Amino acid sequence: RNVTKTTASRSHLNKTKDAERPTKTMKTYTLPSGSKMPALALGTWKAATGLVGDAVKEALKLGYRHIDCADIYDNEEEVGKALRECFDDGVLKREDLFLTSKLWCSNYAPELVRPALEKQLKRLNVEYLDLYLMHWPVVKTPEGGFLSLEELPLSKTFEAMKECMDAGLVKNIGVSNFTTKKIRDIIDETGITPAVNQVERHPYLQQPELLEFCEKNGVHMTAYSPLGSGDPEILEDKTIGEIAKKHDASPAQVLLSWAMTMGSVAAKSTNPDRLAQNLAAADITLDEDDLEKIKEMDKHQRYLDGAFWVKEGSPYTMENLWDGE
């Protein structure tokens, strides 16, 4: 995996340290296609309608160059309007932005994949996505029912996504919330390696085996919920607090910096100051001592455990969702 640096403007590490930090550059990861993926993405999950558009515009003006979206977030139209304004106003060009979105589980039937993608492109006001992910390893019907992975293998959906890539509608395809077993199945059944696996990842859920598998197989790993998905426990953890104090940074910045040492990360905020602080986390370099202390925090704690897929009439269980991982 190739890591390079590209210049991005940044405001500050925190409100009190504006002028004391030299501006560094945003790390980028080079995907097998050659696409350069900025290590920090603005996440749009749970970003409220009416706020997300302004957050996107502010983020792009600050220097963010990666936006993470999804069909199911139900805010792509507002994101698209913000993108169009920024393109039209000369804030950036389309080719300077890395745009990720996700295919929802009710559109996994191969014949539904391209129409779903085309609707998303229209909403987002772009002609292509830089990365398109299968959102969960779960198959739903458009009517709201479930299909098992035997009835509709995930590989069939992935092959349909590859056709969209061949048509120039997306530059890279990948997965989200996939285990090592499910990624291996995709590779074995299609001969195509997902470019990215986006998963929950933070010091309480470090997933070293999954990370090692992805690195060995050329799959880039992106972390979501890096701050614990709204639970203040990680942000208030004593170890993180001590490391933050050492680096004159906030706990959130330490968590984001840690995530960026292993791959990329999607972090949501609609607050302008927080957006700048999150972007400035790229300026923090954790040392080996910091990384060793954080390594000891792992307790395999999922905040988004997928329990909402386990219900009456569903073929999905916690066991077959996570494959014991």
Side-chain angles (χ1 to χ4, degrees):
R1 189 178 63 201
N2 298 319
V3 183
T4 56
K5 300 267 189 170
T6 57
T7 303
S9 64
R10 230 162 345 277
S11 286
H12 47 258
L13 265 178
N14 55 50
K15 286 183 182 177
T16 60
K17 298 292 173 186
D18 280 9
E20 298 174 31
R21 300 274 185 178
T23 298
K24 294 189 184 177
T25 51
M26 174 57 68
K27 180 191 290 185
T28 64
Y29 288 94
T30 303
L31 301 180
S33 67
S35 296
K36 293 190 183 302
M37 180 179 185
L40 178 65
L42 173 68
T44 57
W45 181 42
K46 294 183 181 175
T49 304
L51 294 176
V52 68
D54 286 342
V56 167
K57 287 187 278 189
E58 179 68 20
L60 294 176
K61 285 171 186 171
L62 284 168
Y64 282 77
R65 289 299 178 261
H66 184 181
I67 308 290
D68 182 80
C69 309
D71 185 3
I72 198 67
Y73 299 168
D74 202 27
N75 56 15
E76 285 189 324
E77 196 164 336
E78 188 175 341
V79 171
K81 285 179 183 173
L83 293 179
R84 178 50 52 203
E85 281 185 40
C86 288
F87 297 149
D88 290 346
D89 292 347
V91 175
L92 78 167
K93 296 175 182 174
R94 169 65 186 94
E95 57 267 29
D96 297 328
L97 175 69
F98 192 98
L99 187 60
T100 298
S101 197
K102 306 174 197 78
L103 176 70
W104 187 239
C105 309
S106 55
N107 290 315
Y108 279 9
E111 68 274 12
L112 299 180
V113 173
R114 181 162 176 163
L117 169 60
E118 288 174 338
K119 285 178 186 172
Q120 289 180 261
L121 292 173
K122 189 174 181 181
R123 287 198 297 262
L124 288 164
N125 272 314
V126 293
E127 293 181 356
Y128 66 90
L129 293 176
D130 295 277
L131 178 62
Y132 200 37
L133 307 176
M134 295 180 70
H135 205 145
W136 280 88
V138 167
V139 184
K140 293 200 74 179
T141 66
E143 296 74 35
F146 286 94
L147 293 175
S148 71
L149 300 188
E150 289 71 38
E151 291 172 294
L152 179 51
L154 299 168
S155 57
K156 298 299 182 189
T157 307
F158 205 67
E159 285 172 341
M161 291 170 67
K162 174 64 163 61
E163 290 175 10
C164 293
M165 190 165 85
D166 293 340
L169 299 177
V170 298
K171 295 201 169 185
N172 302 275
I173 54 173
V175 295
S176 182
N177 300 300
F178 274 48
T179 60
T180 57
K181 178 188 181 300
K182 289 182 174 68
I183 296 173
R184 193 179 287 115
D185 287 347
I186 288 277
I187 296 170
D188 291 347
E189 292 167 26
T190 68
I192 310 160
T193 300
V196 171
N197 184 24
Q198 186 180 123
V199 296
E200 179 183 347
R201 193 161 185 275
H202 42 71
Y204 289 171
L205 182 68
Q206 298 187 28
Q207 308 204 67
E209 296 85 4
L210 180 61
L211 181 64
E212 184 182 2
F213 172 85
C214 286
E215 285 182 340
K216 280 184 178 175
N217 288 276
V219 180
H220 176 80
M221 205 142 111
T222 298
Y224 71 72
S225 296
L227 311 183
S229 200
D231 187 319
E233 187 181 4
I234 297 181
L235 286 164
E236 294 171 1
D237 189 285
K238 185 181 175 186
T239 299
I240 296 299
E242 288 171 353
I243 295 171
K245 189 174 181 183
K246 170 181 163 182
H247 291 277
D248 196 16
S250 70
Q253 288 172 327
V254 170
L255 292 168
L256 292 175
S257 176
W258 176 80
M260 283 187 270
T261 63
M262 319 283 175
S264 55
V265 57
K268 186 223 87 174
S269 181
T270 54
N271 176 295
D273 287 325
R274 195 81 35 76
L275 285 169
Q277 290 166 31
N278 288 352
L279 189 61
D283 288 352
I284 300 167
T285 303
L286 302 180
D287 59 34
E288 286 302 317
D289 185 52
D290 300 329
L291 296 175
E292 278 302 312
K293 286 177 179 173
I294 293 174
K295 193 175 182 180
E296 293 171 9
M297 292 171 60
D298 196 4
K299 50 186 178 180
H300 203 69
Q301 179 176 323
R302 289 187 196 277
Y303 289 103
L304 206 69
D305 64 6
F308 45 82
W309 296 120
V310 182
K311 55 180 75 172
E312 197 173 334
S314 166
Y316 300 97
T317 64
M318 297 304 278
E319 178 57 35
N320 67 25
L321 190 61
W322 300 114
D323 300 314
E325 298 177 27

